[in-house]
Amino acid sequence: MHYLDNAATTWPKPESVYTTADETFRALFSPKRGSHKASRAGGQKLDNARQTLATLFGITNPQRIAFTPGATYALNAATQGYPWQAGDAVVMSAIEHHALSRPIRKLARERGVTFHVVPYTDDVPFDMAAYKTLLETHSTIRMVAVTHASNVIGSILPIHDIFTLAHQHGKTTVLDAAQSAGVLPINVIDDHIDMLAVPGHKGLYGPPGVGMLYVAEGVPLGSFAEGGTGGDSGKHPMTNEQGHINLPDGAEVGTLPLPLMLAMAEGANWVTERGISTIHTHECTLLQHLLDGLNTIEGITIYGHQNVAHKTPVVSFNLAGHHPKELGNTLFDEAGIALRGGFHCAPMAHEAIGSVPHGGTLRASIGATTSQADVDVLISALNRLR
Ligand SMILES: Cc1ncc(COP(=O)(O)O)c(C=O)c1O
């Protein structure tokens, strides 16, 4: 198989990620629960895992990281747990994934929160001038929540500038790093990130079903889900007198999937050892090769800008006369190429780029282990189909 669906989930994972999950599953019990040796050892390993992730994102206190079942859950906790008042507002980009846009639409439906969408214009993913005007004219805005990079077209948002401005106006900032964690450098302090949602199974090369939420000190957050945390077991309420949770316990309810959590941290270790910039250079080279190849094929439309310096290794395209999903199926059946066709859980992005009438796009996404041969096979197969 020529795997070009790394924006959905990276594959294959490093061998050490598989062995960490397997060994943990066999050997260790849930930390924070038992008083026995295996549970205490699990607790120690969990502390190390939090430290690994903290180091990767410039987080000074690892206890501000809660493991979650993924980026989607982390974004739900960040948005639904936030202490909103009716009439408050939130800002998002025009290319959000459902993982952020649906929780925000839920706030509008159920909690009286309005939302503003910063326009996408002429392949520019986030109109900074329009955003600045929004911040200056709407004092009700309390939160700015955006994706770091589009899962459809790979365009990177200028999050440093977006969040610096948000902080100058006293807003809480939330980053959906689903497409960027492990792919681009992220530093919560330098980038002014108050809450950071990270998946384990994409750029960190960990397993599915695990991720993390970082919440900066002093950022208020109520509970999103309630249950046993392993601490304060004798008390009925899970939150403090202000109705806020304590991190990490308050966001880690139920029995924790330690094999997944440690395997995620092992993936982060692997990325750190290889170096984000080394992986990025490899991916950018192949991204340019892919764009060059696609540009030679008559009938191909590429969506979004093509400046690889401002893109993650994700390309959305269509071939005239072919439905993206059907084309994806054909390319897999005929050449073993794994792509993803359709709307990629991000209809806003497809509305922005104008691909809705075509049934979305076909997406190719490159990872750390993608080879030039994988890209060449795709280009030849598309030439044949044309
Ligand atoms: C931009 C974006 N946000 C959020 C998610 C959801 O991540 P998870 O699978 O960890 O819930 C994805 C997954 O495709 C994504 O691409």
Side-chain angles (χ1 to χ4, degrees):
M1 177 163 66
H2 298 281
Y3 188 74
L4 291 172
D5 198 14
N6 290 280
T9 197
T10 49
W11 185 86
K13 309 297 180 185
E15 203 45 44
S16 60
V17 168
Y18 297 123
T19 51
T20 299
D22 182 56
E23 283 167 9
T24 311
F25 191 27
R26 288 170 195 281
L28 292 168
F29 304 109
S30 174
K32 303 203 236 171
R33 299 290 198 277
S35 9
H36 46 86
K37 195 175 157 203
S39 182
R40 275 189 253 146
Q44 182 56 53
K45 285 190 184 283
L46 186 52
D47 285 345
N48 297 344
R50 267 190 239 280
Q51 184 58 62
T52 299
L53 293 164
T55 306
L56 187 60
F57 300 116
I59 295 165
T60 45
N61 179 2
Q63 297 303 312
R64 302 302 301 177
I65 292 175
F67 282 94
T68 63
T72 303
Y73 187 103
L75 290 166
N76 273 275
T79 52
Q80 308 304 303
Y82 194 70
W84 298 103
Q85 285 171 3
D88 286 344
V90 53
V91 173
M92 64 175 154
S93 84
I95 51 175
E96 297 304 334
H97 187 279
H98 274 325
L100 183 60
S101 63
R102 281 187 170 160
I104 286 179
R105 287 175 202 278
K106 181 176 159 76
L107 292 174
R109 275 197 320 273
E110 298 178 2
R111 313 242 318 247
V113 174
T114 48
F115 62 84
H116 302 277
V117 177
V118 176
Y120 173 102
T121 12
D122 297 332
D123 290 348
V124 175
F126 192 89
D127 183 336
M128 279 304 281
Y131 168 60
K132 200 160 175 275
T133 307
L134 268 179
L135 289 181
E136 283 163 1
T137 51
H138 291 82
S139 58
T140 50
I141 293 169
R142 286 188 67 198
M143 179 185 280
V144 175
V146 294
T147 188
H148 195 170
S150 165
N151 65 308
V152 176
I153 48 176
S155 301
I156 298 170
L157 271 64
I159 57 139
H160 182 266
D161 296 349
I162 295 170
F163 288 166
T164 302
L165 202 58
H167 271 181
Q168 281 166 6
H169 286 262
K171 315 301 178 196
T172 300
T173 60
V174 177
L175 186 68
D176 173 359
Q179 292 296 326
S180 60
V183 176
L184 302 171
I186 296 175
N187 184 298
V188 295
I189 308 294
D190 297 349
D191 294 330
H192 293 269
I193 301 165
D194 292 325
M195 292 196 263
L196 175 71
V198 171
H201 68 114
K202 296 184 195 265
L204 295 188
Y205 292 83
V210 66
M212 61 162 259
L213 173 67
Y214 157 77
V215 184
E217 217 95 43
V219 172
L221 200 63
S223 67
F224 169 60
E226 303 235 350
T229 60
D232 285 338
S233 263
K235 287 193 199 151
H236 290 298
M238 206 184 76
T239 47
N240 62 21
E241 292 81 51
Q242 291 83 42
H244 300 156
I245 52 169
N246 294 318
L247 268 285
D249 286 4
E252 290 180 345
V253 291
T255 303
L256 302 176
L258 195 63
L260 303 184
M261 293 148 78
L262 299 192
M264 171 178 169
E266 180 51 36
N269 261 327
W270 182 83
V271 167
T272 306
E273 272 164 25
R274 277 205 162 194
I276 288 184
S277 67
T278 307
I279 297 173
H280 190 61
T281 305
H282 167 75
E283 291 177 343
C284 279
T285 307
L286 291 184
L287 174 62
Q288 189 63 65
H289 187 64
L290 172 60
L291 289 168
D292 291 347
L294 288 172
N295 277 312
T296 61
I297 304 171
E298 207 182 302
I300 290 274
T301 303
I302 300 173
Y303 296 88
H305 72 71
Q306 294 190 36
N307 181 348
V308 298
H310 298 284
K311 256 172 89 69
T312 51
V314 176
V315 179
S316 251
F317 61 93
N318 272 320
L319 179 60
H322 293 261
H323 188 279
K325 274 202 162 175
E326 283 159 18
L327 182 60
N329 289 341
T330 308
L331 285 163
F332 185 74
D333 293 341
E334 291 191 3
I337 304 165
L339 302 161
R340 186 167 171 200
F343 291 103
H344 314 95
C345 299
M348 293 175 80
H350 287 278
E351 285 156 18
I353 61 176
S355 58
V356 174
H358 307 289
T361 58
L362 191 54
R363 182 184 72 184
S365 47
I366 290 160
T369 58
T370 306
S371 68
Q372 186 166 323
D374 296 324
V375 175
D376 290 342
V377 168
L378 171 62
I379 301 301
S380 322
L382 282 168
N383 264 315
R384 271 202 313 277
L385 284 170
R386 179 181 62 87

